[in-house]
Amino acid sequence: MRNYFPKIFLYILGLFFLLNLLQAWSTQLIFDEAYYWYYAREISWGYFDHPPMVAWLIALGQLFFEGELGVRFLSCILGIGTMAVLWLLVDDPKKKDYIPHFFVLIASMTLVHAYGFLMLPDTPLLFFTALFFLVYKRFLASPGVQTAILLGLVMAALMYSKYHAFLVIFFVFLSNPGLIRERHAWLAVLISLTAYSPHLMWLYDNHFVSVRYHLFERPNRPYEFFDFTAGYFINLIAIFGLTFYWIYRATFKTPSRDLFTKALLFVSIGILLFFFISSFQRRVQTQWIIVICIPMAVLAYRYMLNHESARKWIFRMGLVNICILMFLRIGLVFEPLFPVVYETHGNRTWVKKITSRAGDIPVVFENSYRMAPMFEFYTGIPSFSLNNAWYRENQYSIDASENRVRNKKVLYVSRYLPGGDISFTMPDSTLFYGVYMDPFRSYRKLRTEIIDMTGTEAGERFAFEVRNPYSFGVPISELKFGLETLDRYKQILKVIPLTVVPGETPLPLLPPGARITLFANFPSDLEEEAAFVKVVISENGLRWGLNGKRKAIE
């Protein structure tokens, strides 16, 4: 191992590992981690928002440790693994003379630093991107069956981490079109598709719910230059902090002298351009572009080794970055040091406020796939996120968690209630109320679809279908129907209650697996800006659900 990793390198790497373990153990979960912990409660080939890799890693980590460290243990392993693979990607013999510079460069990258201990989908994405480049580099040097199999498995692992990984694979291929004539490359693709096929089958069985949400159903809003495009450039700076100028300079100054360097450049610049174009359609989140850190770290370190000025400035500014990041890391645990209230602050406190009043009865959170798993993580008490028309679908919409709270006494928690049996404030001072419901009955998986709509004039009749996917009958008398209107950005405008007329054979009970056709008239107060409509359901007085399939107004 010393031939690849000098002793001082291993010492520093071990120091990072111990630091990340300590941070992982001492820091309360952030909401997304709690959500992915909830994924891991039931191992599957897929989940609503993401492929399953993050859930698999959490489940594996919990075999070794409990609590927060169990959730994050594998992130600590992958964090140092990413650093080690990045080191192997640089061939320059001078690198052994500048080991501290390497660690300063990598540890100064904001999200790479964070993903060394936080367990999020981007954590395995970064590791497998680095590993993909390493295997691809060896494939270029010596294409063969073994490297093709390994390359295919790593590509599958990439795609199991996050759907954005497709961009990495695509731009690497674009950098080397000659791969299309390489039979071992096709073997790698075949291996990758075979390994990834269980997730593809999961998507098929779940009506491609993840693809539909990310590509077609995610709400948007009108274009705003400062929030969309200008915000995108701010994200590009935030990823690298004070070293951003020299890292981008290193990328754009590097010539594509060989196929591997060309791949690094194509992925870096290709992803930058892809999300720049995307910024004219929607707001680009910082983590969407995090994958550029892998190829750009390699390019920047190479550049540092051969340009003294860049080496000095990246080292100096990187140290400042690290000092700021270390201060913030301490603030994740010791709240007074952090400049704002953050997600790791006070979770045990607000959870205790609820259990001190409600005991161990299940808790239903309105519109919060974040609070529901956080509550369950710290209490072990069943919880559920009841999603309505003003929110979005998530894992709670497609799994069986609703069964754990239906027909039971629950505490229903919402920030929209005017009052309640209990109240509590979150660390950010948001006030929540809770009311007891006994029994709680929801049927959020009921689906509706408008099947006959000739026009939207007031009073014009239309037909819609209601489908019951449950294994039990649903009383029609417990349901009310509404017409939800949305603008062209898929933002909800309002819900208008409908008076429905049953078909020829009114049913008091919608049998399991059955469909019923109902009729209603279009209301007179349809907004001019309405571009889509769908039928939604309120069961037992709950707020309107997310039941309907959207239909465009022609």
Side-chain angles (χ1 to χ4, degrees):
M1 182 177 288
R2 290 183 181 179
N3 292 333
Y4 297 104
F5 302 107
K7 187 181 295 186
I8 185 64
F9 181 95
L10 294 175
Y11 286 154
I12 298 176
L13 193 68
L15 183 63
F16 270 102
F17 180 59
L18 293 176
L19 174 64
N20 287 336
L21 281 177
L22 177 62
Q23 185 87 54
W25 169 76
S26 62
T27 307
Q28 295 180 49
L29 296 188
I30 66 173
F31 286 113
D32 280 353
E33 287 180 299
Y35 185 45
Y36 303 134
W37 166 83
Y38 173 71
Y39 278 12
R41 297 293 303 277
E42 184 175 342
I43 294 302
S44 173
W45 287 107
Y47 299 91
F48 182 90
D49 313 76
H50 294 291
M53 182 63 75
V54 66
W56 295 349
L57 294 173
I58 290 172
L60 183 58
Q62 290 181 317
L63 296 177
F64 300 96
F65 300 100
E66 297 179 348
E68 291 92 346
L69 183 56
V71 173
R72 295 170 172 150
F73 178 62
L74 267 295
S75 66
C76 298
I77 299 290
L78 294 185
I80 62 167
T82 301
M83 289 183 172
V85 175
L86 284 171
W87 175 259
L88 295 175
L89 285 171
V90 179
D91 289 332
D92 196 319
K94 293 193 293 291
K95 69 179 184 179
K96 293 184 179 181
D97 298 326
Y98 298 101
I99 293 174
H101 294 74
F102 170 82
F103 282 102
V104 168
L105 169 67
I106 305 304
S108 69
M109 297 180 179
T110 311
L111 292 182
V112 175
H113 199 98
Y115 294 150
F117 65 93
L118 295 177
M119 178 51 82
L120 300 166
D122 303 278
T123 304
L125 175 69
L126 289 173
F127 172 75
F128 286 114
T129 298
L131 190 60
F132 171 67
F133 277 114
L134 182 63
V135 177
Y136 176 66
K137 184 179 181 183
R138 294 182 178 177
F139 180 85
L140 290 174
S142 179
V145 174
Q146 289 184 339
T147 50
I149 293 174
L150 185 57
L151 187 63
L153 292 176
V154 173
M155 286 194 291
L158 254 179
M159 290 300 299
Y160 272 119
S161 299
K162 203 169 182 179
Y163 295 120
H164 289 159
F166 172 76
L167 294 175
V168 176
I169 299 169
F170 173 75
F171 284 118
V172 167
F173 168 77
L174 209 61
S175 73
N176 184 10
L179 288 171
I180 202 168
R181 299 188 300 272
E182 170 58 63
R183 59 190 177 92
H184 293 109
W186 284 105
L187 176 61
V189 171
L190 179 62
I191 295 294
S192 178
L193 290 175
T194 302
Y196 198 60
S197 61
H199 180 64
L200 296 176
M201 289 300 298
W202 181 91
L203 285 172
Y204 176 80
D205 291 339
N206 288 272
H207 311 289
F208 295 94
V209 62
S210 306
V211 178
R212 287 192 289 109
Y213 172 72
H214 287 297
L215 295 184
F216 307 112
E217 296 181 358
R218 187 190 287 261
N220 201 2
R221 52 192 171 86
Y223 176 74
E224 297 177 15
F225 172 77
F226 288 103
D227 195 24
F228 283 37
T229 305
Y232 166 70
F233 285 104
I234 292 173
N235 286 339
L236 295 184
I237 296 173
I239 284 179
F240 299 116
L242 297 175
T243 62
F244 78 94
Y245 169 78
W246 294 276
I247 291 177
Y248 286 112
R249 178 181 174 83
T251 300
F252 289 102
K253 286 285 188 179
T254 299
S256 56
R257 59 179 179 265
D258 56 69
L259 285 174
F260 179 66
T261 302
K262 196 173 181 181
L264 296 173
L265 290 170
F266 264 64
V267 172
S268 302
I269 298 172
I271 289 177
L272 290 174
L273 289 175
F274 178 87
F275 284 110
F276 171 67
I277 295 170
S278 298
S279 74
F280 291 97
Q281 295 179 316
R282 64 174 63 247
R283 186 176 181 273
V284 176
Q285 298 180 23
T286 311
Q287 66 269 24
W288 292 358
I289 52 179
I290 182 63
V291 75
I292 65 172
C293 290
I294 298 301
M296 292 177 74
V298 177
L299 295 170
Y301 188 56
R302 281 180 174 180
Y303 194 81
M304 290 172 65
L305 295 176
N306 296 288
H307 295 82
E308 183 179 359
S309 177
R311 184 167 63 245
K312 288 181 178 178
W313 279 107
I314 289 178
F315 189 77
R316 292 168 182 168
M317 294 297 99
L319 286 175
V320 177
N321 274 356
I322 291 173
C323 289
I324 295 172
L325 291 170
M326 290 303 300
F327 176 80
L328 294 176
R329 285 180 66 156
I330 296 172
L332 293 177
V333 182
F334 301 103
E335 300 174 25
L337 294 180
F338 210 80
V340 295
V341 175
Y342 190 60
E343 297 178 19
T344 59
H345 299 154
N347 290 315
R348 291 191 181 95
T349 302
W350 67 260
V351 163
K352 188 175 181 180
K353 288 178 183 178
I354 295 176
T355 55
S356 66
R357 298 287 302 276
D360 60 357
I361 68 171
V363 179
V364 175
F365 292 87
E366 181 181 13
N367 287 356
S368 189
Y369 70 90
R370 293 154 60 87
M371 292 178 68
M374 187 73 81
F375 176 84
E376 188 165 349
F377 177 81
Y378 283 111
T379 65
I381 298 171
S383 64
F384 177 64
S385 174
L386 187 78
N387 310 309
N388 65 38
W390 288 266
Y391 200 49
R392 75 165 182 90
E393 290 189 303
N394 48 62
Q395 183 62 24
Y396 289 94
S397 304
I398 65 172
D399 64 17
S401 56
E402 188 182 35
N403 297 335
R404 300 188 300 163
V405 296
R406 188 188 295 109
N407 296 320
K408 296 181 180 179
K409 180 181 180 180
V410 306
L411 180 70
Y412 185 86
V413 172
S414 174
R415 60 186 298 184
Y416 307 105
L417 293 171
D421 299 309
I422 74 166
S423 65
F424 66 94
T425 55
M426 293 292 285
D428 63 0
S429 300
T430 303
L431 177 63
F432 282 79
Y433 287 101
V435 295
Y436 294 106
M437 293 186 179
D438 188 13
F440 172 80
R441 290 197 297 271
S442 68
Y443 313 109
R444 287 286 137 131
K445 289 188 179 180
L446 291 175
R447 311 314 297 171
T448 67
E449 181 178 1
I450 297 174
I451 57 176
D452 184 13
M453 185 178 77
T454 56
T456 58
E457 296 296 325
E460 191 158 355
R461 175 170 285 200
F462 67 96
F464 63 94
E465 188 176 74
V466 183
R467 180 173 61 87
N468 177 13
Y470 294 107
S471 60
F472 57 86
V474 175
I476 298 293
S477 61
E478 295 185 20
L479 310 180
K480 293 182 179 179
F481 299 92
L483 187 72
E484 178 183 327
T485 60
L486 305 96
D487 63 18
R488 65 190 183 97
Y489 299 102
K490 302 164 194 167
Q491 295 281 359
I492 183 172
L493 297 172
K494 64 179 179 180
V495 177
I496 307 167
L498 292 173
T499 300
V500 300
V501 180
E504 295 181 1
T505 310
L507 296 174
L509 197 71
L510 183 57
R515 302 169 185 262
I516 185 175
T517 299
L518 301 174
F519 300 87
N521 297 325
F522 267 100
S524 58
D525 49 349
L526 206 65
E527 305 91 332
E528 289 185 7
E529 61 268 37
F532 302 95
V533 291
K534 61 181 178 179
V535 174
V536 293
I537 298 174
S538 166
E539 65 274 44
N540 297 301
L542 297 171
R543 297 179 80 196
W544 303 105
L546 285 159
N547 318 88
K549 186 175 181 180
R550 192 174 60 245
K551 192 173 185 66
I553 297 176
E554 298 179 357

